[in-house]
Amino acid sequence: MEWLKTSIMHMRGVAHGSIGTTHELTEAKQGKYHFTIGPYTDPVLSIKPGDRVVVQTRDAFDGLVKTAQDLPSKVLKMPFVNPQNGPIMVEGAEKGDVLAVYIESMAPRGDNPRGTCAMIPQFGALSGTSLTALLSDSLPEIVRKIDVDEDGVYWSPRVTLPYRPHIGTLSCSPEIDSINTLTPDSHGGNMDLPDMGPGSITYLPVRIAGGRLFIGDAHACQGDGEVCGTAVEYPSTTTIHVDLIKGWALEWPRLENDKIVMAIGSARPLEDAARIAYKELVLWMEAEFGYDRWDAYMMLSQCGKVRLGNFVDPKYTVGAGIEKKYLG
Amino acid sequence: MEWLKTSIMHMRGVAHGSIGTTHELTEAKQGKYHFTIGPYTDPVLSIKPGDRVVVQTRDAFDGLVKTAQDLPSKVLKMPFVNPQNGPIMVEGAEKGDVLAVYIESMAPRGDNPRGTCAMIPQFGALSGTSLTALLSDSLPEIVRKIDVDEDGVYWSPRVTLPYRPHIGTLSCSPEIDSINTLTPDSHGGNMDLPDMGPGSITYLPVRIAGGRLFIGDAHACQGDGEVCGTAVEYPSTTTIHVDLIKGWALEWPRLENDKIVMAIGSARPLEDAARIAYKELVLWMEAEFGYDRWDAYMMLSQCGKVRLGNFVDPKYTVGAGIEKKYLG
Amino acid sequence: MEWLKTSIMHMRGVAHGSIGTTHELTEAKQGKYHFTIGPYTDPVLSIKPGDRVVVQTRDAFDGLVKTAQDLPSKVLKMPFVNPQNGPIMVEGAEKGDVLAVYIESMAPRGDNPRGTCAMIPQFGALSGTSLTALLSDSLPEIVRKIDVDEDGVYWSPRVTLPYRPHIGTLSCSPEIDSINTLTPDSHGGNMDLPDMGPGSITYLPVRIAGGRLFIGDAHACQGDGEVCGTAVEYPSTTTIHVDLIKGWALEWPRLENDKIVMAIGSARPLEDAARIAYKELVLWMEAEFGYDRWDAYMMLSQCGKVRLGNFVDPKYTVGAGIEKKYLG
Amino acid sequence: MEWLKTSIMHMRGVAHGSIGTTHELTEAKQGKYHFTIGPYTDPVLSIKPGDRVVVQTRDAFDGLVKTAQDLPSKVLKMPFVNPQNGPIMVEGAEKGDVLAVYIESMAPRGDNPRGTCAMIPQFGALSGTSLTALLSDSLPEIVRKIDVDEDGVYWSPRVTLPYRPHIGTLSCSPEIDSINTLTPDSHGGNMDLPDMGPGSITYLPVRIAGGRLFIGDAHACQGDGEVCGTAVEYPSTTTIHVDLIKGWALEWPRLENDKIVMAIGSARPLEDAARIAYKELVLWMEAEFGYDRWDAYMMLSQCGKVRLGNFVDPKYTVGAGIEKKYLG
């Protein structure tokens, strides 16, 4: 990963790319997983900038959907879904800083079929929901259990999908709110962005001392928008490397990989998520890449890249990116 | 208030309309006001169903905007706005119950000009905001200080508006989230609904033992939608009478006065708030007023009443109501 | 109607309130009704400013739903719904002018049950639709035939609703577009605004010579938002009085009655309709009623009135109003 | 283009991939360009299925923005923008059929700087607009003239963008509406979808005899969402090959290239455009590719591809696609 040497994480992080201690955040060490992201829970781990953490994430169903007969409406109890590891405290992190989270690897855990996808009543983009409230009947409730390994996602006899793992939920804590793990917002949270996989760095605004990093919700693969409401959810061993960038006050999360930089917005309606993402990207290009504001705005109209993360969560997530070759 | 005898509060409340102890929740007793609504704060008061509470609310600016020169961008520090009294614990309240909050009276407190209205940068319906994120300049930042008494709101030499007080923010606690006081949602919160004044009963879903009632954000008057982002915000002495209805599991708050019943939804985009409100009203008519579901739906298409509470908060609020004369 | 003497129509109209010739626009004279509103159709009538027209409107189902067994999915053929009378040419009307349409009276026509309300598949606010496209099944398809007279709308054995007639669709022609009669927009069209009944004046922007006035879609009553998708649709004899205001270039329709003035916006999402309406109202108060722009904006935040016309049509309609007593 | 032999166009089109006559639709032959797409204009050309047409398109500014000093607010007169070639009649096309439009090539026309990009007052995703109506000042009005050739788009001294031409506006006529050329809808229109370039086939629903094909609005390149409101607009020589598929009743346009098939939706809010696109894609997979409906829905949640065409036009456009390798 030669490009990492030129990443913002490496250039501006306190650890400057050096790797410190490796911590194991196993299920046992985590103990109680969390269903809100906020400042009111006890830390499970404290690390230094540059440290690596190997995290055992649970799937978004908290492991309760074991077979195709375990219907979510029977085995899940809202709002206790999408369990998170953390909070992880990062030494020296203060409001106005940024945590940089590089995802090194994501490996499946547990026995196959490890993967789960479900159509959940009153959830998903092509159904009435609790927010787009209709009098229509729900769609059928269907659970798919799916074999997953690092070579593929064995969707059906007809189709094998590539293994494209990413983290669905990643965030620091808000300053005073504690937000359920289904909802993305300016702190990060349940963004469900396929770009947030191995080889990516996510930049998260720190709003409270220590940052209080939460992580969970691994996806073995996911389409743009996560249209039925769930990805191929699975338990993972996710290895991250965390650094601290002092004095970088972000309003919203950002992401970098070898090819692009991306700003991320989460809101409803969907155009507002896209507006946030593009506005943040314009201001970023102006502040840090030597672009005039209007040149950036007009140029993104010619070369901006949009990723629809999800349009099924309580807020929708959009990433707006630009290829690094234009930032030079 | 003869109609109260036939209200749901009176008919189904544990106290059946009898008035118990009167509690004073002064500024001194409140001590620390709250900026999130959740389960993580210490109660200030415990009451029995039927008790009355006289609450000294602060204005939404926490009293920091004392003159027209105190610009919000200078004197406010986000997210520390819209301070709430509470939480008030109600004996016997459990998840699946409802708190009924009858507002007896709202009187202005403090010296004139007690009222404050402000245009706040990146806030309000006709400006770009943090969620409808644009590159446009903010509108001018303007503070109006306004004399308020129980005879009127002295807006300008040209215009005196009627004193039409109501509570902008009212809620029980969510089960595990702690939500900033600017955001309305299914727990209630910052609904900014002009109907929520003296003579109204609000029914709030209880999601955690004791209910944990929060109240604040008095408005001396407010137009539909609260278009510039703020009402005539003022400190008040608000007297409420609280009862407990056991085993009434609501998804969203509801409201009753002498003429109407109303269901309340908060969401973005605005049509989703209206959908929630109307769906809840249809289901309410079916469950409790002897209407067939489709008869209710079609009839509301002929006689439903909509109040736009706000379209400026992080979620927008709509009430959908029907005149009681049709409920028999 | 004493107040009419002080109306904008009377004060600024070419006819200054005097009544000219009365024209009969019967079904026979109309001949072919229209399903788009545009510049490409032959006029049925030419009138002078001040003239009165007695219009025989058809119901929005074009009279095809005669019994409860005439399901819309069987008897209607899209896009041939919501038939309009017109176009009526107004002498002297040019782009940049306004047609003022005062509704004098609306009387039911035809035999009872004259009124029709229907739940139409993939239509209505609490159903998936062609635009909010879902995989959910449609709601049941139901037709109600309803007796209507000037004393009431006989909804059911249990409920009689008041007769509150209004015109659902009213407009001049766009300049070059021809827009189906289901869609409201800046030309007017299918606004479904309950305020647009007898005693109201609607101001419509003229965009092409003669104005080309279209009218139809009478409702015997309608709730805010028209939630199930249809009002009590009925054939009417609607008497209007039309005047011409020269040199009043409006972007969107406006309305006046004895108590209020209102600006009207139609858009999706619903907040955009409300934004248009309030922006137009602020600018109107600034341009013609001596208000400073920001004073108007802040004051409407305290006393603005919102009517949700519909949130079921291809665009949603909102009216934002202010009581005339504040306009002096 | 070997893959064309397996395209739907080739397999099901009347011409089965054979190429007929080549027609020249020059500026001279076109004469009057069109600013609405509808059934009320005179055809410029009649062709047979399989014929090729070489079209001289004008840029979206109708050639009026010749220098950086030609501000749109001065030289453009709404609604006379985005001129279209056509209508082209296709022999045998009837309501319920589809026109397949394969884009063979797009070459720049005219002298450099041929390309134009502009920030137009009250237009663009990060500005208030006529529909998201605000009281904010407009962003600066800026025109960029850009050299364009088939090797690149010479954006600035710093940045050369790749030449990635596509057609912004493509459609058959609606049945009775005539829709301005700025607005996309179920007929096609101003979709601004970067995929609609050389090597793509667009399938357009025929709603009126002859189909009445309109084409225009070439873009030398465009980012996802067209965030500032305009692409690199330029005059082109666009060569298309048109076929007719009988008895394929589409609700919305679709697209195919060598790698994917895509369904296209246009609506507001943006999530509704995405819903339409994904719903159409699910139903397509069920109807023509042997998928169970719910299998398709759940699988697209894992591998669906979304393109944000624009979120600046009067309706927003989204394409939802799937790689052909999964369709077998």
Side-chain angles (χ1 to χ4, degrees), chain C residues 225-278:
Chain C
E226 203 183 15
V227 63
C228 90
T230 52
V232 176
E233 315 286 341
Y234 78 128
S236 81
T237 301
T238 293
T239 301
I240 59 175
H241 167 207
V242 181
D243 205 348
L244 172 67
I245 300 175
K246 297 295 294 179
W248 195 25
L250 299 185
E251 296 293 320
W252 290 87
R254 295 178 180 176
L255 183 144
E256 177 181 12
N257 63 29
D258 58 334
K259 294 203 178 58
I260 62 161
V261 300
M262 179 183 277
I264 303 168
S266 297
R268 286 193 181 203
L270 184 53
E271 56 265 41
D272 273 359
R275 282 169 170 144
I276 292 166
Y278 261 126

Side-chain angles (χ1 to χ4, degrees), chain B residues 117-119 123-127 129 132 139-140 142-144 155-156 158-162 221-233 268-271 274-276 278-279 282 289-292 294-308 311 316 318 325-328, chain C residues 117-119 123-127 129 132 139-140 142-144 155-156 158-162 221-233 268-271 274-276 278-279 282 289-292 294-308 311 316 318 325-328:
Chain B
C117 175
M119 286 173 57
F123 196 63
L126 301 186
S127 168
T129 67
T132 302
L139 304 181
I142 300 174
V143 168
R144 294 280 285 258
W155 179 258
S156 67
R158 181 174 173 180
V159 173
T160 297
L161 297 167
C221 62
Q222 186 205 299
D224 297 343
E226 201 182 15
V227 65
C228 91
T230 54
V232 176
E233 316 285 341
R268 287 192 180 202
L270 185 53
E271 55 264 42
R275 282 170 170 143
I276 292 166
Y278 261 125
K279 177 180 180 179
V282 168
F289 296 104
Y291 274 87
D292 168 79
W294 310 122
D295 187 25
Y297 182 41
M298 295 175 86
M299 193 174 106
L300 288 171
S301 201
Q302 315 318 325
C303 67
K305 300 290 182 193
V306 166
R307 171 77 73 179
L308 176 55
F311 70 124
Y316 307 143
V318 167
K325 65 184 174 193
Y326 299 126
L327 300 176
Chain C
C117 175
M119 285 173 57
F123 196 63
L126 302 187
S127 168
T129 66
T132 301
L139 305 181
I142 300 174
V143 167
R144 295 278 287 259
W155 179 258
S156 67
R158 182 174 173 180
V159 173
T160 297
L161 297 167
C221 60
Q222 185 205 296
D224 296 343
E226 203 183 15
V227 63
C228 90
T230 52
V232 176
E233 315 286 341
R268 286 193 181 203
L270 184 53
E271 56 265 41
R275 282 169 170 144
I276 292 166
Y278 261 126
K279 178 180 179 178
V282 168
F289 296 104
Y291 274 87
D292 168 80
W294 310 122
D295 188 25
Y297 183 41
M298 295 175 87
M299 194 175 106
L300 288 171
S301 201
Q302 316 317 325
C303 66
K305 301 289 181 193
V306 166
R307 171 77 73 178
L308 176 55
F311 70 125
Y316 307 143
V318 168
K325 65 183 174 191
Y326 299 126
L327 299 176

Side-chain angles (χ1 to χ4, degrees), chain A residues 236-293:
Chain A
S236 81
T237 300
T238 293
T239 301
I240 59 175
H241 167 207
V242 181
D243 203 348
L244 172 67
I245 300 175
K246 297 296 294 179
W248 195 25
L250 300 185
E251 296 294 319
W252 291 87
R254 295 177 181 177
L255 184 144
E256 177 180 11
N257 62 30
D258 57 335
K259 293 205 180 56
I260 62 159
V261 300
M262 179 183 276
I264 303 168
S266 296
R268 286 192 181 204
L270 184 54
E271 56 264 41
D272 274 358
R275 281 168 170 145
I276 291 166
Y278 261 126
K279 178 180 179 179
E280 289 291 310
L281 184 56
V282 168
L283 298 183
W284 193 5
M285 289 169 67
E286 183 185 33
E288 302 185 11
F289 297 103
Y291 273 87
D292 169 79
R293 182 177 299 188

Side-chain angles (χ1 to χ4, degrees), chain A:
Chain A
M1 292 297 186
E2 194 62 18
W3 75 268
L4 279 176
K5 293 184 182 164
T6 61
S7 69
I8 297 169
M9 181 180 189
H10 190 111
M11 305 290 279
R12 293 166 57 179
V14 168
H16 283 297
S18 67
I19 308 287
T21 306
T22 295
H23 308 262
E24 301 284 333
L25 186 50
T26 60
E27 289 217 24
K29 175 152 178 69
Q30 177 65 42
K32 185 166 179 276
Y33 282 69
H34 294 289
F35 300 97
T36 65
I37 293 165
Y40 306 109
T41 41
D42 293 330
V44 291
L45 192 66
S46 287
I47 67 174
K48 286 190 198 312
D51 283 1
R52 175 188 279 124
V53 190
V54 182
V55 186
Q56 292 189 336
T57 69
R58 285 193 187 155
D59 73 30
F61 302 104
D62 207 16
L64 296 169
V65 180
K66 298 180 204 304
T67 75
Q69 283 67 51
D70 292 332
L71 297 183
S73 64
K74 291 186 183 157
V75 302
L76 300 182
K77 199 178 147 210
M78 298 298 295
F80 301 100
V81 293
N82 199 12
Q84 297 294 300
N85 293 76
I88 301 168
M89 309 304 279
V90 179
E91 197 172 277
E94 295 169 299
K95 187 175 175 177
D97 298 340
V98 156
L99 289 194
V101 182
Y102 173 65
I103 300 181
E104 286 190 11
S105 65
M106 295 181 66
R109 281 202 305 133
D111 297 330
N112 263 322
R114 301 157 167 143
T116 309
C117 175
M119 286 174 57
I120 302 172
Q122 299 296 310
F123 195 65
L126 302 186
S127 167
T129 67
S130 59
L131 294 175
T132 301
L134 307 179
L135 293 171
S136 313
D137 289 338
S138 292
L139 305 181
E141 186 170 10
I142 300 175
V143 168
R144 294 279 285 260
K145 292 296 297 187
I146 307 131
D147 283 355
V148 171
D149 62 30
E150 298 195 36
D151 293 325
V153 174
Y154 304 92
W155 180 258
S156 67
R158 181 174 174 181
V159 174
T160 297
L161 298 167
Y163 181 68
R164 292 274 181 271
H166 58 273
I167 275 294
T169 307
L170 187 64
S171 46
C172 292
S173 172
E175 186 167 5
I176 60 174
D177 285 22
S178 191
I179 297 178
N180 62 75
T181 53
L182 283 181
T183 303
D185 206 326
S186 70
H187 66 300
N190 189 26
M191 295 173 280
D192 291 326
L193 203 66
D195 310 83
M196 211 167 277
S200 70
I201 306 167
T202 303
Y203 299 104
L204 296 164
V206 174
R207 295 191 169 139
I208 191 169
R212 304 181 64 86
L213 182 68
F214 292 82
I215 182 169
D217 190 21
H219 296 169
C221 61
Q222 185 204 297
D224 297 343
E226 201 183 16
V227 64
C228 90
T230 53
V232 176
E233 315 284 341
Y234 77 129
S236 81
T237 300
T238 293
T239 301
I240 59 175
H241 167 207
V242 181
D243 203 348
L244 172 67
I245 300 175
K246 297 296 294 179
W248 195 25
L250 300 185
E251 296 294 319
W252 291 87
R254 295 177 181 177
L255 184 144
E256 177 180 11
N257 62 30
D258 57 335
K259 293 205 180 56
I260 62 159
V261 300
M262 179 183 276
I264 303 168
S266 296
R268 286 192 181 204
L270 184 54
E271 56 264 41
D272 274 358
R275 281 168 170 145
I276 291 166
Y278 261 126
K279 178 180 179 179
E280 289 291 310
L281 184 56
V282 168
L283 298 183
W284 193 5
M285 289 169 67
E286 183 185 33
E288 302 185 11
F289 297 103
Y291 273 87
D292 169 79
R293 182 177 299 188
W294 309 121
D295 187 26
Y297 182 41
M298 296 175 87
M299 192 174 106
L300 288 170
S301 202
Q302 315 319 326
C303 66
K305 300 291 180 192
V306 166
R307 171 78 74 178
L308 175 55
N310 86 80
F311 69 124
V312 294
D313 293 328
K315 298 189 181 183
Y316 307 143
T317 298
V318 167
I322 183 170
E323 291 178 76
K324 285 176 161 184
K325 65 183 173 192
Y326 299 126
L327 301 175

